[in-house]
């Protein structure tokens, strides 16, 4: 991962089409997020909540990785269109996926060598 500790494990349980409990563990960052229906959301032992932002132009929005290889253009068409629309509307779009991490890692490694 080129020096970027972005990996994790996420588990959840779906009952009757509802997410009931869930956990995301980020071992290299020493963080664990958990939630359970009716019990709130926590980072470790601390309660957390979503931003109260109601305006899209004040929101940070994250997106996933893009497809590569055969039929990538076809597979990415909808996501690229959405990303372009979001980039015009949101405060800050983020893309975290394998390609993005590889790019960050390359830049960090270049800085370390200088």
């Amino acid at each position: 991962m080129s020096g970027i500790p972005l990996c994790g494990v996420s588990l959840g349980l779906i009952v009757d089409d509802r997410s009931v409990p869930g956990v995301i563990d980020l071992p290299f960052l020493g963080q664990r997020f958990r939630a359970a229906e009716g019990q709130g959301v926590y980072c470790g032992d601390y309660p957390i909540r979503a931003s109260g932002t109601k305006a899209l132009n004040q929101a940070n929005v994250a997106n996933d990785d893009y497809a590569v290889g055969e039929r990538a253009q076809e597979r990415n068409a909808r996501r690229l269109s959405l990303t372009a629309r979001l980039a015009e509307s949101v405060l800050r779009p983020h893309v975290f996926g394998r390609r993005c991490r590889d790019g960050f890692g390359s830049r960090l490694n270049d800085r370390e060598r200088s």
Side-chain angles (χ1 to χ4, degrees):
M1 293 199 309
S2 302
I4 302 293
L6 295 177
C7 75
V9 177
S10 59
L11 299 169
L13 176 65
I14 306 294
V15 176
D16 297 327
D17 291 327
R18 288 187 351 262
S19 297
V20 185
V23 65
I24 299 172
D25 190 67
L26 306 170
F28 297 128
L29 297 178
Q31 291 185 319
R32 179 173 292 150
F33 299 88
R34 61 186 167 83
E37 188 173 31
Q39 296 181 24
V41 181
Y42 293 82
C43 177
D45 293 331
Y46 300 96
I48 60 174
R49 61 180 169 74
S51 165
T53 299
K54 299 198 183 309
L56 190 57
N57 67 352
Q58 295 296 311
N60 288 300
V61 178
N63 196 3
D64 196 0
D65 203 358
Y66 294 95
V68 296
E70 187 176 323
R71 297 181 43 233
Q73 185 173 1
E74 173 188 338
R75 292 167 46 206
N76 288 327
R78 185 173 175 200
R79 185 170 290 160
L80 287 167
S81 173
L82 175 61
T83 301
R85 289 190 347 240
L86 283 172
E88 296 171 0
S89 306
V90 301
L91 175 65
R92 182 172 296 141
H94 301 276
V95 178
F96 284 105
R98 185 174 53 84
R99 289 282 155 228
C100 184
R101 287 191 305 270
D102 290 349
F104 280 129
S106 296
R107 284 194 290 276
L108 285 174
N109 289 340
D110 290 344
R111 254 185 267 150
E112 291 168 357
R113 282 190 285 257
S114 349

